Amino acid sequence: MKNTEIQALAASEIAERIVAEQGNLSKLKFAHTISPIENPNRIRETKRLIARLKTALAAK
């Protein structure tokens, strides 16, 4: 998700998206702990997306 897409969202949509991505991150971490996932960079990308969403929410 690009920054322009994030900025176009409303504050409530950003908050919902943060919760969804945090759930996704916990699932990825759990799956990676059990057996290495195919692309471990997805964990890093998800963390960065959450950070961008939190920054955009704070700006609004």
Side-chain angles (χ1 to χ4, degrees):
M1 182 171 237
K2 295 186 178 184
N3 286 336
T4 54
E5 296 171 354
I6 293 172
Q7 291 173 353
L9 297 174
S12 61
E13 293 173 329
I14 293 173
E16 291 173 6
R17 196 60 199 248
I18 289 171
V19 172
E21 290 299 328
Q22 285 175 336
N24 186 24
L25 178 63
S26 64
K27 288 179 186 177
L28 282 172
K29 284 182 176 181
F30 184 72
H32 187 64
T33 300
I34 292 174
S35 64
I37 58 176
E38 188 174 306
N39 187 3
N41 285 335
R42 288 181 57 203
I43 295 172
R44 182 184 306 161
E45 292 168 3
T46 305
K47 284 182 183 179
R48 289 182 178 174
L49 176 58
I50 292 169
R52 280 198 302 270
L53 288 168
K54 285 184 177 181
T55 302
L57 185 60
K60 290 193 182 228

